[in-house]
């Protein structure tokens, strides 16, 4: 693959916003005051907030996007598929981090909503118009955006609850328990969408399953605790469907990409 200077402004911008997003996440985890409203701090939580280790998904996403920052100089397909939308998505995600950390949960939610839209645009372009043609495109183009798309959905879901149904000192009300279980059921049902309607996006489905197990590890209320475990097991088993179909020799749309 030859090195290409074409579309260099967007490529340089991608690198700048990538470093900004990584720095923002590192600061949210390790920097600031101990009582800051970090999205990753269980002190400021809801009844669908997962255990802190769950947010390690960011490490995988950042690593893969780091590879994308290099790969984009050797493949114009990155610009064709992503354009300037990665810049927009990264800036909005960074804005969400800054707003949440400063205690503006509603404004943070709005920023994250638009960030989700930008990521979804890239995701669907990759699915419909720019499917990967090589292993490198799978690893450094399709896979990171599959993970990012599922993960930003998780972040949006969690932050809706943080903004409108936060934890209470005296424990969750009956309504909050019902709301949390219904929300977790919705997340589990979304796994079906990733497998059935998104060409067998196992990577995205696994992110949602990982999140459900994270909720199981974090939440102490018995109903939420065990419901999230059950939903996590069901989601994980359903995620295996493309592998089972492939092994059995049945070729359907959901058996195709396996990695997003």
């Amino acid at each position: 693959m030859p090195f290409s200077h074409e579309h260099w402004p967007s490529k340089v911008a991608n690198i700048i916003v990538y470093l900004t997003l990584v720095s923002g996440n590192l600061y949210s985890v390790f920097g600031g005051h101990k009582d800051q409203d970090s999205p990753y701090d269980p002190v400021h939580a809801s009844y669908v907030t997962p255990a802190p280790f769950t947010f390690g998904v960011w490490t995988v996403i950042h690593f893969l996007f780091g590879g994308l920052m290099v790969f984009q100089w050797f493949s114009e397909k990155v610009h064709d598929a992503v354009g300037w939308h990665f810049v927009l998505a990264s800036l909005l995600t960074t804005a969400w981090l800054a707003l949440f950390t400063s205690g503006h949960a509603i404004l943070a939610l709005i920023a994250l909503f638009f960030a989700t839209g930008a990521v979804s645009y890239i995701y669907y372009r990759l699915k419909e118009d720019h499917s990967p043609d090589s292993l490198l495109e799978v690893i450094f183009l399709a896979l990171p955006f599959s993970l990012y798309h599922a993960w930003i959905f998780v972040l949006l879901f969690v932050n809706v609850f943080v903004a409108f149904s936060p934890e209470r000192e005296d424990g969750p009300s009956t309504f909050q328990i019902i709301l949390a279980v219904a929300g977790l059921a919705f997340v589990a049902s979304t796994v079906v969408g990733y497998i059935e309607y998104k060409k067998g996006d196992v990577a995205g489905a696994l992110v949602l399953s990982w999140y459900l197990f994270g909720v199981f590890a974090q939440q102490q209320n018995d109903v939420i605790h065990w419901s999230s475990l059950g939903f996590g097991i069901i989601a994980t088993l359903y995620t295996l469907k493309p592998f089972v179909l492939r092994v059995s020799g049945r070729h359907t749309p959901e058996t195709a990409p396996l990695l997003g």
Side-chain angles (χ1 to χ4, degrees):
M1 295 181 295
F3 184 86
S4 174
H5 292 284
E6 197 172 355
H7 305 298
W8 68 265
S10 68
K11 295 176 182 179
V12 172
N14 285 340
I15 294 173
I16 293 173
V17 297
Y18 164 72
L19 294 175
T20 301
L21 180 58
V22 172
S23 300
N25 272 318
L26 288 174
Y27 180 81
S28 292
V29 175
F30 301 109
H33 303 291
K34 63 181 181 179
D35 60 344
Q36 70 176 5
D37 293 326
S38 169
Y40 318 130
D41 188 347
V43 172
H44 310 281
S46 72
Y47 293 106
V48 296
T49 298
F53 69 80
T54 315
F55 295 97
V57 170
W58 268 127
T59 303
V60 180
I61 294 173
H62 288 325
F63 174 78
L64 293 171
F65 275 142
L68 179 63
M69 295 305 102
V70 177
F71 182 64
Q72 66 175 340
W73 295 97
F74 299 91
S75 173
E76 287 306 313
K77 190 170 186 176
V78 176
H79 177 79
D80 294 339
V82 177
W84 287 84
H85 289 88
F86 178 73
V87 174
L88 178 61
S90 297
L91 289 176
L92 287 168
T93 306
T94 303
W96 160 72
L97 279 169
L99 289 167
F100 197 104
T101 302
S102 59
H104 302 289
I106 302 299
L107 291 176
L109 186 61
I110 294 172
L112 191 59
F113 176 80
F114 285 107
T116 303
V119 174
S120 296
Y121 178 83
I122 299 171
Y123 179 82
Y124 285 106
R125 277 182 64 83
L126 287 169
K127 284 291 180 184
E128 301 299 328
D129 303 321
H130 299 281
S131 298
D133 298 317
S134 67
L135 181 59
L136 286 176
E137 289 182 3
V138 170
I139 296 174
F140 294 119
L141 184 56
L143 180 56
F145 281 108
S146 286
L147 296 176
Y148 196 10
H149 184 260
W151 186 238
I152 205 167
F153 167 76
V154 167
L155 295 177
L156 183 66
F157 175 76
V158 171
N159 276 259
V160 167
F161 277 80
V162 170
F164 299 108
S165 184
E167 282 189 349
R168 307 189 320 177
E169 291 186 3
D170 57 346
S173 65
T174 301
F175 176 74
Q176 284 181 307
I177 293 173
I178 294 173
L179 195 63
V181 173
L184 294 171
F186 173 71
V187 172
S189 68
T190 304
V191 170
V192 177
Y194 272 92
I195 299 301
E196 299 292 343
Y197 306 113
K198 297 176 181 176
K199 300 182 180 180
D201 188 351
V202 171
L206 285 176
V207 168
L208 300 185
S209 299
W210 173 254
Y211 160 71
L212 291 168
F213 288 122
V215 175
F216 165 71
Q218 177 67 20
Q219 298 301 325
Q220 301 302 311
N221 176 269
D222 286 342
V223 176
I224 299 173
H225 180 74
W226 294 111
S227 293
S228 57
L229 175 62
F231 290 138
I233 292 173
I234 293 171
T236 302
L237 291 175
Y238 201 89
T239 301
L240 297 176
K241 180 182 178 181
F243 295 101
V244 174
L245 292 177
R246 175 166 289 191
V247 170
S248 65
R250 294 177 57 190
H251 298 286
T252 60
E254 65 265 26
T255 66
L258 292 191
L259 285 177

